[in-house]
Amino acid sequence: MPERGLYDRGMAVRRAVLGDAHVDRSLARASDFDRDFQEFITKTAWGSIWTRPGLDRRTRSLLTIAMLAALGHDGEFKLHIRATRNTGVTRDEVKEVLLQAAVYAGVPAANHAIALARSVYEEMDGEETGASAS
Amino acid sequence: MPERGLYDRGMAVRRAVLGDAHVDRSLARASDFDRDFQEFITKTAWGSIWTRPGLDRRTRSLLTIAMLAALGHDGEFKLHIRATRNTGVTRDEVKEVLLQAAVYAGVPAANHAIALARSVYEEMDGEETGASAS
Amino acid sequence: MPERGLYDRGMAVRRAVLGDAHVDRSLARASDFDRDFQEFITKTAWGSIWTRPGLDRRTRSLLTIAMLAALGHDGEFKLHIRATRNTGVTRDEVKEVLLQAAVYAGVPAANHAIALARSVYEEMDGEETGASAS
Amino acid sequence: MPERGLYDRGMAVRRAVLGDAHVDRSLARASDFDRDFQEFITKTAWGSIWTRPGLDRRTRSLLTIAMLAALGHDGEFKLHIRATRNTGVTRDEVKEVLLQAAVYAGVPAANHAIALARSVYEEMDGEETGASAS
Amino acid sequence: MPERGLYDRGMAVRRAVLGDAHVDRSLARASDFDRDFQEFITKTAWGSIWTRPGLDRRTRSLLTIAMLAALGHDGEFKLHIRATRNTGVTRDEVKEVLLQAAVYAGVPAANHAIALARSVYEEMDGEETGASAS
Amino acid sequence: MPERGLYDRGMAVRRAVLGDAHVDRSLARASDFDRDFQEFITKTAWGSIWTRPGLDRRTRSLLTIAMLAALGHDGEFKLHIRATRNTGVTRDEVKEVLLQAAVYAGVPAANHAIALARSVYEEMDGEETGASAS
């Protein structure tokens, strides 16, 4: 399979998980400085790993949320909480993942992630209300 | 529910996940120095979290393996690879978890975890062969 | 001792260390999403560990500040700087803890923590001035 | 060489790398709480290490940026991106350092650092435009 | 005070904390590769920080043990457990520090540190028995 | 360019940096469990990043050593110390990288890396002596 295929398959799963709105915004904002990086992520994280059949997308979403909470990568954690809309991970499941993280990564890492996840859910609820009101 | 209940329920799930042989060995080796710690872990990690119904044991096993690989806790990682015998996580699933970890925690963390997991599986295969031969 | 006792004892020491104002605010803001987590922390961190007689509260405060600075958990670090009001740790002691952290956790971790601690102390001084002016 | 020499040499290289404006601002803002810390950093990081002849300043700048991105020290990372103005590290080189960090520290650490670096460069470009316009 | 004084004061406190036997062995084994590093540590960690009067040696020992456990620096952790012989930190206090670390740095980090500390204490007990037997 | 090209280019630079002996051994030992992972690393770390013209191989080697020391990935750190034979990084440069790491990642991380690097160099010296003696 040609490398272009790797990028295209990566872009397809990236859009399916993160949503078209987020990806379109990223592409529109790309500059000379980060264009190579965006392409690298699309091929590697999305094209090479998220496309693999060995685990379903919901499980990859759970694992990613756990690792991002454990390692304290806040921005990417919030992105993947938002993506649960597309991966089918429920709020109750995220709650359980973060309780599990409290044991393995420590209480402060989990406590912080709980607050971040809650704020993302509140944003999402606000957007839906806003959308239905308009 | 009394605290004793917390310990007892924790011990039950700890035995179910890590196996009686491992837990009996831990209890037999406990000293004044680590007895409180063993009790704390049994109540907290096992009694308060692993007993929760919100995620099945197989999913908690996958999440734990991902976080331990990401954070580089080698001893506990190997323990939980060995415990996949009881949690139903397959070798192919562990492989996928560690490929996912390569993206989110970096290649060296995942590469090291792959080597550790492989060595545990080889030990387990050796034990089974030894057991069936005796 | 029943589990309820664990929660109650945890809540008592949590209030003694973090202050009633902070804890009341946390309880008032608790949602379905984080209620289990708040209860878990109260029982575990506070009920099982901070209540132990083996180290006094001032020493636990110093250790907690050191570990939070070393691991970069900013929100919880600020919370525990503010709690020094209740634990009796002085500003000069916090300064020494963070100099010690510069050696063991690296200069950037300590440098960041110094700036965070300073901003918390300035907030606290402002509140006192505001309170006495009103 | 007297200790004063260590401080003075450290201050000289600190000014050469971070710029007089930044250092003057730090000194002016120093309080009783962080004065010892500022002196410790000047002697240690700058006086003992950055002054060593074994690696040129540009290489130390690249290494520092890589480690700060890998460890997630955001404030100090931005400071050292800004300092590339003085160390001669180009934007294309920073891009390469962060692609290298994606492999060794994980995609989220590098992705976050790319966004931070880009925002610093945009600030710097704005300042230059502002300066030339005034 | 001249820099030589910094080294000498550092060496004095390093010997007082880690013991002459350990320091003599380090100096005897020093090579061209690590000589500068040994000197840097002696001046910085020991001469500039451990000599400060703001916290007593026992408290610095407790803080160091907590941070080394939290960050997973095994070799240096064992060194500082052994040094409790000189700093006056008791085994019960180390146990409490590591229970505190379980909350703030996660159960696996603390669990591993408990096992390491126990093995160091067993070595120390063996040496004493051996010494008194000879 | 086809994906096969990515693998082949990656394998070429992997062999140039780590040496044929190491790579041949890795390939010979590959099992079903780690084959996909080896292929992923070859394409990603080596094919996509190490092949980029933006930084020379010597600089990528220095950066990699710095990040591996900072993050405590011991196995991969030793591999890249050994690879300095092929990347042209000198022992004096590694010493400087690790002094720089002492500031940014903390003294224990650097101290441990210094000891690991020294042991690798002693092994390499032993092998050369052994080879010339046989």
mmCIF file of all heavy atoms in Angstrom, chain B residues 29-34 36-38 40-41 68 73 76, chain E residues 91 94-95 99 102 107-111 114 117-118 121:
data_model
loop_
_atom_site.group_PDB
_atom_site.id
_atom_site.type_symbol
_atom_site.label_atom_id
_atom_site.label_comp_id
_atom_site.label_asym_id
_atom_site.label_seq_id
_atom_site.Cartn_x
_atom_site.Cartn_y
_atom_site.Cartn_z
ATOM 1 N N ARG B 29 5.053 -13.561 53.042
ATOM 2 C CA ARG B 29 6.288 -12.775 53.141
ATOM 3 C C ARG B 29 6.100 -11.447 53.854
ATOM 4 O O ARG B 29 7.071 -10.726 54.075
ATOM 5 C CB ARG B 29 6.841 -12.483 51.738
ATOM 6 C CG ARG B 29 7.477 -13.677 51.077
ATOM 7 C CD ARG B 29 8.369 -13.239 49.932
ATOM 8 N NE ARG B 29 7.673 -12.280 49.066
ATOM 9 C CZ ARG B 29 7.861 -12.182 47.763
ATOM 10 N NH1 ARG B 29 8.706 -12.987 47.160
ATOM 11 N NH2 ARG B 29 7.218 -11.291 47.040
ATOM 12 N N ALA B 30 4.867 -11.081 54.152
ATOM 13 C CA ALA B 30 4.612 -9.769 54.751
ATOM 14 C C ALA B 30 5.386 -9.617 56.063
ATOM 15 O O ALA B 30 5.475 -10.545 56.854
ATOM 16 C CB ALA B 30 3.123 -9.568 54.978
ATOM 17 N N SER B 31 5.962 -8.432 56.258
ATOM 18 C CA SER B 31 6.690 -8.142 57.494
ATOM 19 C C SER B 31 6.025 -6.955 58.184
ATOM 20 O O SER B 31 5.109 -6.346 57.633
ATOM 21 C CB SER B 31 8.141 -7.785 57.159
ATOM 22 O OG SER B 31 8.168 -6.530 56.502
ATOM 23 N N ASP B 32 6.485 -6.622 59.387
ATOM 24 C CA ASP B 32 5.959 -5.440 60.075
ATOM 25 C C ASP B 32 6.078 -4.199 59.202
ATOM 26 O O ASP B 32 5.268 -3.295 59.275
ATOM 27 C CB ASP B 32 6.753 -5.181 61.371
ATOM 28 C CG ASP B 32 6.329 -6.153 62.458
ATOM 29 O OD1 ASP B 32 5.356 -6.901 62.241
ATOM 30 O OD2 ASP B 32 6.986 -6.151 63.510
ATOM 31 N N PHE B 33 7.120 -4.182 58.356
ATOM 32 C CA PHE B 33 7.360 -2.994 57.555
ATOM 33 C C PHE B 33 6.299 -2.793 56.482
ATOM 34 O O PHE B 33 5.885 -1.672 56.212
ATOM 35 C CB PHE B 33 8.755 -3.077 56.910
ATOM 36 C CG PHE B 33 9.144 -1.850 56.146
ATOM 37 C CD1 PHE B 33 9.322 -0.645 56.808
ATOM 38 C CD2 PHE B 33 9.314 -1.882 54.775
ATOM 39 C CE1 PHE B 33 9.672 0.505 56.107
ATOM 40 C CE2 PHE B 33 9.659 -0.749 54.068
ATOM 41 C CZ PHE B 33 9.837 0.454 54.741
ATOM 42 N N ASP B 34 5.833 -3.861 55.855
ATOM 43 C CA ASP B 34 4.918 -3.675 54.725
ATOM 44 C C ASP B 34 3.498 -4.166 54.965
ATOM 45 O O ASP B 34 2.647 -4.067 54.074
ATOM 46 C CB ASP B 34 5.501 -4.276 53.434
ATOM 47 C CG ASP B 34 5.902 -5.727 53.576
ATOM 48 O OD1 ASP B 34 5.412 -6.393 54.501
ATOM 49 O OD2 ASP B 34 6.705 -6.188 52.747
ATOM 50 N N ASP B 36 0.971 -2.934 56.810
ATOM 51 C CA ASP B 36 -0.025 -1.860 56.666
ATOM 52 C C ASP B 36 -0.225 -1.498 55.204
ATOM 53 O O ASP B 36 -1.329 -1.181 54.770
ATOM 54 C CB ASP B 36 0.435 -0.591 57.407
ATOM 55 C CG ASP B 36 0.305 -0.732 58.914
ATOM 56 O OD1 ASP B 36 -0.027 -1.833 59.390
ATOM 57 O OD2 ASP B 36 0.547 0.271 59.612
ATOM 58 N N PHE B 37 0.882 -1.536 54.468
ATOM 59 C CA PHE B 37 0.799 -1.175 53.061
ATOM 60 C C PHE B 37 -0.019 -2.210 52.285
ATOM 61 O O PHE B 37 -0.863 -1.862 51.459
ATOM 62 C CB PHE B 37 2.205 -1.044 52.480
ATOM 63 C CG PHE B 37 2.212 -0.318 51.182
ATOM 64 C CD1 PHE B 37 2.119 1.064 51.159
ATOM 65 C CD2 PHE B 37 2.276 -1.007 49.988
ATOM 66 C CE1 PHE B 37 2.097 1.748 49.955
ATOM 67 C CE2 PHE B 37 2.253 -0.329 48.781
ATOM 68 C CZ PHE B 37 2.159 1.049 48.766
ATOM 69 N N GLN B 38 0.240 -3.479 52.542
ATOM 70 C CA GLN B 38 -0.534 -4.543 51.886
ATOM 71 C C GLN B 38 -2.022 -4.397 52.203
ATOM 72 O O GLN B 38 -2.868 -4.585 51.336
ATOM 73 C CB GLN B 38 -0.041 -5.928 52.343
ATOM 74 C CG GLN B 38 1.379 -6.257 51.931
ATOM 75 C CD GLN B 38 1.565 -6.263 50.421
ATOM 76 O OE1 GLN B 38 0.673 -6.655 49.683
ATOM 77 N NE2 GLN B 38 2.709 -5.780 49.968
ATOM 78 N N PHE B 40 -3.576 -1.625 53.037
ATOM 79 C CA PHE B 40 -4.058 -0.415 52.354
ATOM 80 C C PHE B 40 -4.375 -0.708 50.886
ATOM 81 O O PHE B 40 -5.421 -0.321 50.359
ATOM 82 C CB PHE B 40 -2.996 0.695 52.462
ATOM 83 C CG PHE B 40 -3.310 1.919 51.655
ATOM 84 C CD1 PHE B 40 -4.300 2.810 52.063
ATOM 85 C CD2 PHE B 40 -2.627 2.184 50.471
ATOM 86 C CE1 PHE B 40 -4.595 3.941 51.312
ATOM 87 C CE2 PHE B 40 -2.925 3.312 49.721
ATOM 88 C CZ PHE B 40 -3.909 4.186 50.140
ATOM 89 N N ILE B 41 -3.475 -1.395 50.197
ATOM 90 C CA ILE B 41 -3.690 -1.733 48.785
ATOM 91 C C ILE B 41 -4.917 -2.633 48.619
ATOM 92 O O ILE B 41 -5.725 -2.450 47.708
ATOM 93 C CB ILE B 41 -2.457 -2.451 48.198
ATOM 94 C CG1 ILE B 41 -1.281 -1.492 48.078
ATOM 95 C CG2 ILE B 41 -2.792 -3.049 46.846
ATOM 96 C CD1 ILE B 41 -0.036 -2.153 47.494
ATOM 97 N N LEU B 68 0.393 1.204 33.369
ATOM 98 C CA LEU B 68 1.672 0.750 33.923
ATOM 99 C C LEU B 68 2.778 0.821 32.873
ATOM 100 O O LEU B 68 3.918 1.179 33.196
ATOM 101 C CB LEU B 68 1.536 -0.665 34.485
ATOM 102 C CG LEU B 68 0.641 -0.773 35.727
ATOM 103 C CD1 LEU B 68 0.394 -2.243 36.075
ATOM 104 C CD2 LEU B 68 1.251 -0.044 36.917
ATOM 105 N N HIS B 73 6.180 1.372 35.341
ATOM 106 C CA HIS B 73 6.234 0.603 36.592
ATOM 107 C C HIS B 73 6.409 -0.872 36.254
ATOM 108 O O HIS B 73 5.438 -1.628 36.155
ATOM 109 C CB HIS B 73 4.965 0.828 37.402
ATOM 110 C CG HIS B 73 4.802 2.236 37.888
ATOM 111 N ND1 HIS B 73 5.796 2.896 38.575
ATOM 112 C CD2 HIS B 73 3.789 3.119 37.802
ATOM 113 C CE1 HIS B 73 5.387 4.120 38.889
ATOM 114 N NE2 HIS B 73 4.179 4.287 38.424
ATOM 115 N N GLU B 76 5.073 -4.091 38.613
ATOM 116 C CA GLU B 76 3.616 -4.206 38.619
ATOM 117 C C GLU B 76 3.081 -4.509 37.209
ATOM 118 O O GLU B 76 2.066 -5.189 37.047
ATOM 119 C CB GLU B 76 2.998 -2.893 39.141
ATOM 120 C CG GLU B 76 1.573 -3.046 39.582
ATOM 121 C CD GLU B 76 1.377 -2.702 41.057
ATOM 122 O OE1 GLU B 76 2.383 -2.651 41.825
ATOM 123 O OE2 GLU B 76 0.220 -2.479 41.444
ATOM 124 N N ARG E 91 12.443 3.549 60.602
ATOM 125 C CA ARG E 91 11.757 2.678 59.635
ATOM 126 C C ARG E 91 10.245 2.946 59.633
ATOM 127 O O ARG E 91 9.607 2.907 58.581
ATOM 128 C CB ARG E 91 12.040 1.207 59.962
ATOM 129 C CG ARG E 91 13.517 0.896 59.816
ATOM 130 C CD ARG E 91 13.883 -0.566 59.996
ATOM 131 N NE ARG E 91 15.340 -0.671 60.009
ATOM 132 C CZ ARG E 91 16.023 -1.798 59.866
ATOM 133 N NH1 ARG E 91 15.383 -2.955 59.707
ATOM 134 N NH2 ARG E 91 17.349 -1.798 59.892
ATOM 135 N N VAL E 94 9.724 5.976 57.473
ATOM 136 C CA VAL E 94 9.815 5.656 56.037
ATOM 137 C C VAL E 94 8.532 4.978 55.574
ATOM 138 O O VAL E 94 7.997 5.284 54.495
ATOM 139 C CB VAL E 94 11.049 4.777 55.746
ATOM 140 C CG1 VAL E 94 10.983 4.183 54.338
ATOM 141 C CG2 VAL E 94 12.324 5.590 55.917
ATOM 142 N N LYS E 95 8.017 4.084 56.375
ATOM 143 C CA LYS E 95 6.748 3.419 56.042
ATOM 144 C C LYS E 95 5.643 4.459 55.831
ATOM 145 O O LYS E 95 4.872 4.376 54.870
ATOM 146 C CB LYS E 95 6.361 2.464 57.174
ATOM 147 C CG LYS E 95 5.121 1.659 56.905
ATOM 148 C CD LYS E 95 4.832 0.677 58.040
ATOM 149 C CE LYS E 95 4.205 1.393 59.235
ATOM 150 N NZ LYS E 95 3.775 0.440 60.304
ATOM 151 N N LEU E 99 3.457 5.385 52.446
ATOM 152 C CA LEU E 99 1.985 5.364 52.400
ATOM 153 C C LEU E 99 1.468 6.704 51.865
ATOM 154 O O LEU E 99 0.518 6.751 51.080
ATOM 155 C CB LEU E 99 1.410 5.068 53.794
ATOM 156 C CG LEU E 99 1.410 3.580 54.166
ATOM 157 C CD1 LEU E 99 1.361 3.376 55.669
ATOM 158 C CD2 LEU E 99 0.210 2.875 53.515
ATOM 159 N N ALA E 102 1.823 6.704 48.206
ATOM 160 C CA ALA E 102 0.815 5.892 47.496
ATOM 161 C C ALA E 102 -0.338 6.762 47.030
ATOM 162 O O ALA E 102 -0.883 6.576 45.945
ATOM 163 C CB ALA E 102 0.301 4.775 48.401
ATOM 164 N N VAL E 107 -0.219 3.981 43.608
ATOM 165 C CA VAL E 107 0.074 2.751 44.340
ATOM 166 C C VAL E 107 1.301 2.015 43.801
ATOM 167 O O VAL E 107 2.135 1.564 44.595
ATOM 168 C CB VAL E 107 -1.186 1.847 44.368
ATOM 169 C CG1 VAL E 107 -0.845 0.419 44.740
ATOM 170 C CG2 VAL E 107 -2.226 2.432 45.327
ATOM 171 N N PRO E 108 1.491 1.885 42.473
ATOM 172 C CA PRO E 108 2.654 1.107 42.026
ATOM 173 C C PRO E 108 3.994 1.739 42.415
ATOM 174 O O PRO E 108 4.921 1.015 42.779
ATOM 175 C CB PRO E 108 2.505 1.071 40.496
ATOM 176 C CG PRO E 108 1.043 1.310 40.251
ATOM 177 C CD PRO E 108 0.609 2.238 41.347
ATOM 178 N N ALA E 109 4.104 3.060 42.339
ATOM 179 C CA ALA E 109 5.348 3.725 42.734
ATOM 180 C C ALA E 109 5.659 3.438 44.200
ATOM 181 O O ALA E 109 6.796 3.126 44.564
ATOM 182 C CB ALA E 109 5.246 5.232 42.506
ATOM 183 N N ALA E 110 4.640 3.514 45.049
ATOM 184 C CA ALA E 110 4.842 3.285 46.481
ATOM 185 C C ALA E 110 5.110 1.812 46.776
ATOM 186 O O ALA E 110 5.952 1.472 47.603
ATOM 187 C CB ALA E 110 3.623 3.769 47.257
ATOM 188 N N ASN E 111 4.390 0.953 46.106
ATOM 189 C CA ASN E 111 4.548 -0.486 46.310
ATOM 190 C C ASN E 111 5.971 -0.921 45.969
ATOM 191 O O ASN E 111 6.608 -1.689 46.708
ATOM 192 C CB ASN E 111 3.544 -1.216 45.400
ATOM 193 C CG ASN E 111 3.290 -2.637 45.842
ATOM 194 O OD1 ASN E 111 3.579 -3.009 46.971
ATOM 195 N ND2 ASN E 111 2.743 -3.432 44.938
ATOM 196 N N ILE E 114 8.348 0.437 48.654
ATOM 197 C CA ILE E 114 8.264 -0.369 49.882
ATOM 198 C C ILE E 114 9.158 -1.612 49.761
ATOM 199 O O ILE E 114 9.914 -1.948 50.679
ATOM 200 C CB ILE E 114 6.794 -0.806 50.141
ATOM 201 C CG1 ILE E 114 5.972 0.342 50.725
ATOM 202 C CG2 ILE E 114 6.725 -2.043 51.022
ATOM 203 C CD1 ILE E 114 6.022 0.454 52.256
ATOM 204 N N ALA E 117 12.873 -0.534 49.869
ATOM 205 C CA ALA E 117 13.290 -0.137 51.220
ATOM 206 C C ALA E 117 13.458 -1.374 52.097
ATOM 207 O O ALA E 117 14.438 -1.501 52.829
ATOM 208 C CB ALA E 117 12.260 0.814 51.834
ATOM 209 N N ARG E 118 12.508 -2.278 51.987
ATOM 210 C CA ARG E 118 12.593 -3.500 52.791
ATOM 211 C C ARG E 118 13.876 -4.266 52.477
ATOM 212 O O ARG E 118 14.555 -4.755 53.381
ATOM 213 C CB ARG E 118 11.358 -4.372 52.525
ATOM 214 C CG ARG E 118 11.309 -5.578 53.405
ATOM 215 C CD ARG E 118 10.064 -6.411 53.191
ATOM 216 N NE ARG E 118 10.299 -7.747 53.710
ATOM 217 C CZ ARG E 118 9.419 -8.721 53.691
ATOM 218 N NH1 ARG E 118 8.208 -8.519 53.186
ATOM 219 N NH2 ARG E 118 9.720 -9.906 54.194
ATOM 220 N N TYR E 121 16.832 -2.554 54.133
ATOM 221 C CA TYR E 121 16.864 -2.811 55.582
ATOM 222 C C TYR E 121 17.354 -4.236 55.869
ATOM 223 O O TYR E 121 18.086 -4.467 56.832
ATOM 224 C CB TYR E 121 15.480 -2.580 56.195
ATOM 225 C CG TYR E 121 15.090 -1.129 56.287
ATOM 226 C CD1 TYR E 121 13.818 -0.696 55.912
ATOM 227 C CD2 TYR E 121 15.987 -0.168 56.766
ATOM 228 C CE1 TYR E 121 13.456 0.640 56.000
ATOM 229 C CE2 TYR E 121 15.634 1.175 56.846
ATOM 230 C CZ TYR E 121 14.368 1.572 56.461
ATOM 231 O OH TYR E 121 14.020 2.898 56.557
#
